[in-house]
Amino acid sequence: TDIGTSNSFSLVHYSVYMNYAWNEGSGTHPMASGHFSAIARATTFTGSPALAYNCYLGQVDALNKKVKIIRRYNNIETILVEGALSESYLSRGTLHSLELRCYDTDPVTLQLYIDNNHVASIGDTDAEKKLTSGVSGIESYSGTVYIDNYSIYEYTSTGVAPADWTPSQLSTLKFWVKADTGVTYDSGDNSVTVWEDQSGNANNLGVVGATNEPTYVASATNNLAGISFDGT
Protein backbone atom coordinates (compact mmCIF):
# COMPACT_ATOMS: atom_id res chain seq x y z
CA THR A 1 0.00 0.00 0.00
CA ASP A 2 1.32 3.46 -0.71
CA ILE A 3 0.47 7.12 -0.41
CA GLY A 4 2.50 9.64 -2.38
CA THR A 5 2.65 13.29 -3.28
CA SER A 6 2.61 14.70 -6.79
CA ASN A 7 5.69 14.70 -9.00
CA SER A 8 5.95 18.48 -8.58
CA PHE A 9 6.82 18.19 -4.87
CA SER A 10 10.09 20.07 -4.40
CA LEU A 11 10.80 21.08 -0.78
CA VAL A 12 14.42 20.44 0.18
CA HIS A 13 14.05 20.46 3.99
CA TYR A 14 10.92 18.64 5.08
CA SER A 15 9.41 15.86 7.16
CA VAL A 16 6.90 13.17 6.33
CA TYR A 17 4.61 12.71 9.33
CA MET A 18 1.83 10.23 9.95
CA ASN A 19 -0.28 8.87 12.76
CA TYR A 20 -0.62 5.09 12.75
CA ALA A 21 -2.33 2.31 14.69
CA TRP A 22 -2.80 -1.44 14.58
CA ASN A 23 -6.12 -3.09 15.28
CA GLU A 24 -6.90 -4.38 18.74
CA GLY A 25 -7.47 -8.09 19.07
CA SER A 26 -6.01 -11.44 20.04
CA GLY A 27 -3.69 -13.73 18.12
CA THR A 28 -0.89 -12.83 15.72
CA HIS A 29 0.12 -9.20 15.50
CA PRO A 30 -1.21 -7.77 12.20
CA MET A 31 2.29 -6.57 11.23
CA ALA A 32 4.13 -9.67 12.48
CA SER A 33 5.39 -10.46 8.99
CA GLY A 34 6.00 -6.98 7.64
CA HIS A 35 7.06 -3.37 7.95
CA PHE A 36 6.02 0.10 6.91
CA SER A 37 7.98 3.22 6.06
CA ALA A 38 7.80 6.95 5.61
CA ILE A 39 9.49 7.82 2.31
CA ALA A 40 11.58 10.86 1.40
CA ARG A 41 13.28 11.91 -1.84
CA ALA A 42 11.61 9.24 -3.96
CA THR A 43 12.61 9.35 -7.66
CA THR A 44 12.60 7.02 -10.69
CA PHE A 45 9.27 5.48 -9.76
CA THR A 46 6.29 4.28 -11.75
CA GLY A 47 2.95 5.29 -10.34
CA SER A 48 3.93 5.88 -6.73
CA PRO A 49 6.89 6.52 -4.41
CA ALA A 50 6.39 3.01 -2.98
CA LEU A 51 7.73 1.69 -6.30
CA ALA A 52 10.74 4.03 -6.31
CA TYR A 53 14.14 2.64 -7.21
CA ASN A 54 15.76 5.58 -5.40
CA CYS A 55 14.52 6.95 -2.07
CA TYR A 56 15.12 7.19 1.68
CA LEU A 57 12.94 5.20 4.06
CA GLY A 58 12.27 5.65 7.77
CA GLN A 59 11.08 2.17 8.65
CA VAL A 60 9.23 0.43 11.45
CA ASP A 61 10.24 -3.24 11.05
CA ALA A 62 7.67 -5.02 13.23
CA LEU A 63 8.90 -8.48 12.20
CA ASN A 64 12.42 -7.95 13.56
CA LYS A 65 11.46 -5.28 16.11
CA LYS A 66 13.84 -2.79 14.54
CA VAL A 67 13.64 0.83 13.53
CA LYS A 68 15.71 1.70 10.46
CA ILE A 69 16.77 4.48 8.12
CA ILE A 70 17.39 2.99 4.68
CA ARG A 71 18.69 4.29 1.36
CA ARG A 72 17.23 2.54 -1.68
CA TYR A 73 19.49 3.20 -4.65
CA ASN A 74 18.94 1.49 -8.00
CA ASN A 75 16.50 -0.76 -6.11
CA ILE A 76 19.24 -1.98 -3.74
CA GLU A 77 18.53 -1.21 -0.09
CA THR A 78 21.32 -0.19 2.29
CA ILE A 79 20.54 0.15 6.00
CA LEU A 80 22.21 3.42 7.02
CA VAL A 81 21.34 3.05 10.70
CA GLU A 82 19.12 0.78 12.81
CA GLY A 83 18.11 0.31 16.43
CA ALA A 84 15.81 -1.68 18.66
CA LEU A 85 12.08 -1.00 18.35
CA SER A 86 10.43 -0.49 21.71
CA GLU A 87 7.43 -2.70 22.44
CA SER A 88 5.51 0.46 23.32
CA TYR A 89 5.62 1.51 19.65
CA LEU A 90 3.98 -1.78 18.66
CA SER A 91 1.07 -1.60 21.08
CA ARG A 92 -2.35 -2.25 19.58
CA GLY A 93 -5.31 0.04 19.86
CA THR A 94 -3.04 3.03 20.53
CA LEU A 95 -2.41 5.97 18.22
CA HIS A 96 1.29 6.37 17.41
CA SER A 97 3.21 8.77 15.17
CA LEU A 98 6.10 8.23 12.75
CA GLU A 99 8.12 11.11 11.32
CA LEU A 100 11.04 11.07 8.88
CA ARG A 101 12.90 14.37 8.61
CA CYS A 102 15.09 14.96 5.58
CA TYR A 103 17.43 17.94 5.16
CA ASP A 104 19.29 18.88 1.99
CA THR A 105 22.56 19.41 3.86
CA ASP A 106 26.02 18.05 3.09
CA PRO A 107 25.88 15.23 4.00
CA VAL A 108 22.13 14.74 3.59
CA THR A 109 20.72 14.57 7.14
CA LEU A 110 17.99 12.08 8.05
CA GLN A 111 16.19 11.88 11.41
CA LEU A 112 13.50 9.46 12.54
CA TYR A 113 10.98 10.07 15.35
CA ILE A 114 8.35 7.74 16.84
CA ASP A 115 5.72 9.22 19.12
CA ASN A 116 7.78 12.44 18.93
CA ASN A 117 10.79 10.64 20.44
CA HIS A 118 14.04 10.79 18.48
CA VAL A 119 14.99 7.17 17.65
CA ALA A 120 17.60 7.41 14.86
CA SER A 121 19.78 9.88 12.92
CA ILE A 122 22.28 9.55 10.12
CA GLY A 123 24.14 11.66 7.60
CA ASP A 124 24.38 10.04 4.17
CA THR A 125 28.04 10.56 3.33
CA ASP A 126 28.05 8.55 0.09
CA ALA A 127 28.60 11.35 -2.41
CA GLU A 128 27.70 9.15 -5.38
CA LYS A 129 24.46 7.69 -4.01
CA LYS A 130 22.99 10.35 -1.71
CA LEU A 131 19.61 11.65 -2.83
CA THR A 132 19.04 15.40 -3.00
CA SER A 133 15.57 15.69 -4.56
CA GLY A 134 12.32 13.82 -5.05
CA VAL A 135 8.85 13.30 -3.62
CA SER A 136 7.61 11.85 -0.33
CA GLY A 137 5.17 9.10 0.53
CA ILE A 138 4.34 6.04 2.63
CA GLU A 139 4.97 2.36 1.96
CA SER A 140 3.49 -0.60 3.84
CA TYR A 141 4.58 -4.18 3.19
CA SER A 142 2.95 -7.48 4.20
CA GLY A 143 0.71 -6.54 7.07
CA THR A 144 -2.08 -4.24 8.19
CA VAL A 145 -1.39 -0.79 9.55
CA TYR A 146 -3.92 2.04 9.68
CA ILE A 147 -2.63 5.47 8.67
CA ASP A 148 -4.28 8.74 9.64
CA ASN A 149 -3.22 12.38 9.37
CA TYR A 150 -0.50 11.94 6.77
CA SER A 151 1.24 15.32 6.46
CA ILE A 152 4.32 16.99 5.04
CA TYR A 153 6.00 19.76 7.00
CA GLU A 154 8.59 22.19 5.71
CA TYR A 155 11.72 22.86 7.75
CA THR A 156 14.78 25.03 7.46
CA SER A 157 18.25 23.51 7.19
CA THR A 158 18.65 23.98 10.95
CA GLY A 159 15.59 21.86 11.69
CA VAL A 160 13.31 24.76 12.63
CA ALA A 161 9.94 25.16 10.96
CA PRO A 162 9.74 28.35 8.83
CA ALA A 163 7.97 31.27 10.47
CA ASP A 164 4.27 31.49 9.67
CA TRP A 165 3.26 34.15 7.19
CA THR A 166 1.64 37.19 8.78
CA PRO A 167 -0.37 40.07 7.21
CA SER A 168 2.28 42.56 8.39
CA GLN A 169 4.56 41.25 5.62
CA LEU A 170 2.40 43.18 3.13
CA SER A 171 4.04 46.60 3.16
CA THR A 172 1.02 48.56 1.84
CA LEU A 173 -1.61 46.82 3.98
CA LYS A 174 -3.90 49.15 5.97
CA PHE A 175 -5.97 46.63 7.92
CA TRP A 176 -6.75 42.94 8.00
CA VAL A 177 -9.72 41.30 9.73
CA LYS A 178 -10.69 37.71 10.45
CA ALA A 179 -14.15 36.55 11.49
CA ASP A 180 -12.72 34.13 14.09
CA THR A 181 -10.33 36.60 15.75
CA GLY A 182 -10.76 39.93 17.50
CA VAL A 183 -14.54 40.11 17.22
CA THR A 184 -16.48 41.74 20.08
CA TYR A 185 -20.19 40.98 19.97
CA ASP A 186 -23.26 40.95 22.20
CA SER A 187 -23.94 37.49 23.63
CA GLY A 188 -27.69 38.05 23.31
CA ASP A 189 -28.20 38.84 19.64
CA ASN A 190 -24.59 38.41 18.36
CA SER A 191 -24.45 42.04 17.18
CA VAL A 192 -20.84 43.10 16.51
CA THR A 193 -19.51 46.27 18.15
CA VAL A 194 -15.76 46.01 17.39
CA TRP A 195 -13.78 44.14 14.74
CA GLU A 196 -10.07 44.31 15.57
CA ASP A 197 -7.40 44.89 12.94
CA GLN A 198 -4.99 41.92 12.60
CA SER A 199 -2.46 43.76 10.41
CA GLY A 200 -0.53 45.25 13.30
CA ASN A 201 -1.63 48.79 12.34
CA ALA A 202 -4.35 49.00 15.04
CA ASN A 203 -6.97 50.23 12.54
CA ASN A 204 -9.85 48.59 14.41
CA LEU A 205 -13.34 48.75 12.93
CA GLY A 206 -16.17 50.18 15.00
CA VAL A 207 -19.87 50.69 14.43
CA VAL A 208 -21.72 54.04 14.45
CA GLY A 209 -25.23 53.43 15.82
CA ALA A 210 -26.66 50.21 17.21
CA THR A 211 -28.96 49.70 14.22
CA ASN A 212 -25.94 49.44 11.94
CA GLU A 213 -24.26 46.57 13.77
CA PRO A 214 -23.54 43.45 11.68
CA THR A 215 -24.05 39.99 13.16
CA TYR A 216 -21.48 37.42 14.25
CA VAL A 217 -22.20 33.93 12.86
CA ALA A 218 -20.30 31.13 14.61
CA SER A 219 -20.82 28.63 11.81
CA ALA A 220 -21.21 30.18 8.36
CA THR A 221 -19.73 28.90 5.07
CA ASN A 222 -17.89 25.57 5.47
CA ASN A 223 -18.68 25.69 9.21
CA LEU A 224 -16.28 28.62 9.66
CA ALA A 225 -17.08 31.83 11.52
CA GLY A 226 -18.42 34.80 9.57
CA ILE A 227 -19.75 38.34 9.92
CA SER A 228 -23.17 38.91 8.33
CA PHE A 229 -24.18 42.28 6.84
CA ASP A 230 -27.80 43.08 5.94
CA GLY A 231 -27.02 45.64 3.23
CA THR A 232 -27.81 48.77 5.22
Side-chain angles (χ1 to χ4, degrees):
T1 312
D2 61 85
I3 302 174
T5 62
S6 71
N7 294 355
S8 61
F9 183 73
S10 61
L11 295 179
V12 294
H13 311 298
Y14 66 91
S15 76
V16 185
Y17 182 96
M18 61 175 144
N19 288 327
Y20 69 90
W22 288 288
N23 70 303
E24 247 180 320
S26 59
T28 304
H29 194 286
M31 282 295 287
S33 62
H35 56 255
F36 71 97
S37 306
I39 298 176
R41 302 279 167 79
T43 58
T44 60
F45 58 87
T46 303
S48 73
L51 303 177
Y53 280 21
N54 300 327
C55 63
Y56 290 117
L57 302 98
Q59 188 174 98
V60 171
D61 182 349
L63 173 62
N64 299 299
K65 295 184 179 179
K66 297 281 189 179
V67 59
K68 305 174 182 178
I69 296 178
I70 298 170
R71 179 186 61 228
R72 184 187 293 162
Y73 189 79
N74 287 340
N75 220 27
I76 297 174
E77 293 190 356
T78 301
I79 298 174
L80 300 178
V81 64
E82 69 177 357
L85 182 63
S86 169
E87 286 286 352
S88 64
Y89 301 145
L90 296 171
S91 60
R92 299 194 200 186
T94 303
L95 189 66
H96 301 283
S97 65
L98 176 67
E99 180 182 14
L100 175 61
R101 297 185 183 184
C102 185
Y103 303 104
D104 188 20
T105 51
D106 190 13
V108 170
T109 302
L110 301 155
Q111 300 173 337
L112 194 61
Y113 293 78
I114 300 181
D115 293 350
N116 298 316
N117 297 315
H118 178 249
V119 295
S121 286
I122 194 70
D124 188 2
T125 58
D126 192 320
E128 179 183 352
K129 297 178 181 178
K130 67 181 181 181
L131 305 171
T132 58
S133 64
V135 305
S136 65
I138 294 174
E139 180 178 32
S140 177
Y141 175 75
S142 187
T144 302
V145 59
Y146 300 97
I147 306 297
D148 189 21
N149 294 340
Y150 166 64
S151 303
I152 302 166
Y153 295 97
E154 183 178 4
Y155 284 89
T156 66
S157 59
T158 59
V160 178
D164 289 338
W165 181 87
T166 63
S168 62
Q169 292 176 236
L170 298 175
S171 60
T172 60
L173 186 67
K174 299 305 180 186
F175 75 96
W176 181 285
V177 288
K178 297 173 61 180
D180 61 354
T181 303
V183 180
T184 301
Y185 60 91
D186 184 274
S187 59
D189 61 3
N190 289 347
S191 57
V192 176
T193 56
V194 178
W195 203 356
E196 295 177 5
D197 179 16
Q198 303 301 311
S199 73
N201 295 318
N203 290 322
N204 299 330
L205 300 180
V207 179
V208 179
T211 59
N212 296 322
E213 293 172 351
T215 303
Y216 172 73
V217 182
S219 181
T221 304
N222 296 328
N223 295 318
L224 301 175
I227 306 296
S228 176
F229 293 84
D230 65 5
T232 60

